[in-house]
Amino acid sequence: MEILRLLWFTIMLLFFSHLINVEGRHHFSKKPKSKNISYAPSPVDVHVDEQPPASSPASNVVPSDPSYGGPAGSTNSDSGCVFDVTEYGAIGDGSTDDTDAFRAAWKEACQVESAVVLAPADHVFMITSTIFSGPCKPGLEFQVNGILMPPDGPDCWPKEDSNKQWLVFYRLDNMTFTGTGTIEGNGEKWWELPCKPHRGPNGSTLPGPCDSPAMIRFFMSSNLVVRGLRIQNSPMFHMKFDGCEGVLIDQLSISSPKLSPNTDGIHIENTKSVGIYNSVIANGDDCISIGPGSSNVDIEAVTCGPSHGISIGSLGVHHSQACVSNITVRNAIIRDSDNGVRIKTWQGGSGSVTGLSFDTIQMENVRNCIIIDQYYCMTKGCQNETSAVCVKDISYRNIKGTYDVRSAPIHFACSDTIACTNITMSEVELLPHEGELVDDPFCWNAYGIQQTLTIPPIDCLQDGMPQSIGEDAYTCS
């Protein structure tokens, strides 16, 4: 009897347990669908990377901080509002003029916070010279995943368009230019114009550009991010920043042929608080050029070459004042270039270049690895003048590698009247790429110290300070 009661209790327990499990499978919660609010005709959804939490260090960094941001080409739109240019009539076949579609998409996206103007992959968009102007709502992103290019050469350039510039971003704040695509400049026919001569192979002279357009220009804008794009074959400068503040440039690939004239990779002028990181630049002129009015520029993990190196200047042209300060270049590679790190100023200018640091730079077959040239001139008709841009407080540390023996690896040609002062040399070791050691660096009116022995020895650098510095009239306020 006791066994029967135990058996009955077990059967009932299993029966009720089965009922509980069956009922449990019918009870689940389902989150209601969020409403999708559209601000433009048929915006498409794109993947939005998850943003870091408020406590994450990435949420509190400044634009020039190398730890800022996520992967190249990712959007930062919380609204999910994407303005695909193909929805505005862009064809993307490489020959149709898609300018109106881009302008229409930009105009509407400009009014929406965290909007994305999208040039999608698998399209080739041709647009003419265009100014994308603000002010716009914050967080605007211009994302190029396809190919974007101008008309093919000067003969196809619309007569009514400016031939000084192609893409201009004007009066913008908190804007990102990114994507996985390519900005193609179609520069070859511009390089061949018979206006400005430039050096060709084997000592020959080739024609060069007249009023060739700069490819991408940011003007009077702030808090900008440019990331992840491939930019190539510009008619003139690949990218210019003028009158801007707070710029992050990261993970760019910039390229044009070695003999393409005036194709500076990145040019900075009248711009403050800039970070240039993790980029590769090969072109026919300066890899990075820094013009007057620039300060607080940090360049790190950049590879240059072939190129004309990283240049401060030219400065002081046409008796102008030039003020450049607090520039750092570190952990860089410069290869197969006409110059390494260069400061170049015209005679007759005024102002100052101060607070420059070149640290941990690998040179590979570079002419003029370290150069200060205060007699910069593009013709043979320049005359000697007494005034000059003052150059002081320059540090060269851990500069190593090989140089092209056609030029001395170190060249300090400073003004007769205003000496270069407080130059610091430490761990500079430069050996010939091929041929015999050139052990005769050039110095003229240059003062500084060697903290370690250098290769080659720099016996011409003068100790201390000159009796008359003459810099007071030329320093910047």
Side-chain angles (χ1 to χ4, degrees), residues 15 22 42 57 76 95 102 132 154 173 198 200 202 239 248 263 273 275 294 311 318 344 369 381 395 398 426-427:
F15 177 75
V22 171
S42 304
N76 62 359
S95 58
F102 274 77
F132 295 103
D173 180 64
H198 64 282
N202 302 318
M239 183 172 289
L248 170 63
T263 52
S273 300
S294 300
S311 290
H318 303 313
K344 52 180 179 175
C369 294
S395 173
N398 196 24
S426 176
E427 297 182 78

Side-chain angles (χ1 to χ4, degrees), residues 102 106 127-132 142-144 146-150 157 162-170 172 175-179 181-187 190 212-221 224-244 247-255 262-269 271 287 289:
F102 274 77
W106 177 273
I127 68 174
T128 59
S129 179
T130 303
I131 299 177
F132 295 103
F142 194 122
Q143 185 175 142
V144 178
I147 297 173
L148 186 59
M149 66 182 188
W157 203 265
S162 169
N163 61 355
K164 301 283 189 182
Q165 54 200 17
W166 176 46
L167 295 184
V168 181
F169 297 94
Y170 173 58
L172 296 166
M175 180 250 177
T176 297
F177 187 30
T178 188
T182 298
I183 314 296
E184 167 60 55
N186 290 334
W190 293 96
S212 304
M215 198 167 172
I216 301 166
R217 183 188 184 199
F218 289 89
F219 182 48
M220 294 182 64
S221 296
L224 304 168
V225 176
V226 183
R227 177 186 280 119
L229 292 162
R230 179 175 180 82
I231 304 169
Q232 62 189 31
N233 299 321
S234 176
M236 201 171 172
F237 290 8
H238 285 78
M239 183 172 289
K240 290 179 65 174
F241 294 85
D242 188 3
C244 297
V247 177
L248 170 63
I249 301 168
D250 189 31
Q251 301 175 53
L252 291 190
S253 171
I254 296 177
S255 63
N262 291 100
T263 52
D264 291 41
I266 299 171
H267 178 73
I268 300 165
E269 188 168 323
T271 293
C287 167
S289 55

Side-chain angles (χ1 to χ4, degrees), residues 427-476:
E427 297 182 78
V428 176
E429 299 176 10
L430 298 167
L431 298 171
H433 182 70
E434 292 180 348
E436 296 182 1
L437 179 72
V438 177
D439 58 358
D440 188 21
F442 177 82
C443 303
W444 181 261
N445 210 18
Y447 289 77
I449 60 171
Q450 298 179 65
Q451 292 185 336
T452 66
L453 293 177
T454 62
I455 303 174
I458 311 174
D459 298 331
C460 59
L461 192 64
Q462 300 182 64
D463 293 331
M465 298 288 283
Q467 291 182 349
S468 176
I469 300 176
E471 66 181 50
D472 293 341
Y474 303 101
T475 54
C476 299

Side-chain angles (χ1 to χ4, degrees), residues 293-344:
S294 300
S295 63
N296 301 325
V297 178
D298 189 34
I299 301 168
E300 184 173 4
V302 169
T303 298
C304 293
S307 71
H308 291 186
I310 297 175
S311 290
I312 314 300
S314 60
L315 305 173
V317 65
H318 303 313
H319 301 89
S320 61
Q321 184 186 66
C323 300
V324 173
S325 62
N326 300 330
I327 313 295
T328 299
V329 181
R330 56 189 171 181
N331 300 321
I333 299 172
I334 302 176
R335 58 168 59 105
D336 299 322
S337 295
D338 283 2
N339 303 286
V341 289
R342 174 169 60 159
I343 301 168
K344 52 180 179 175

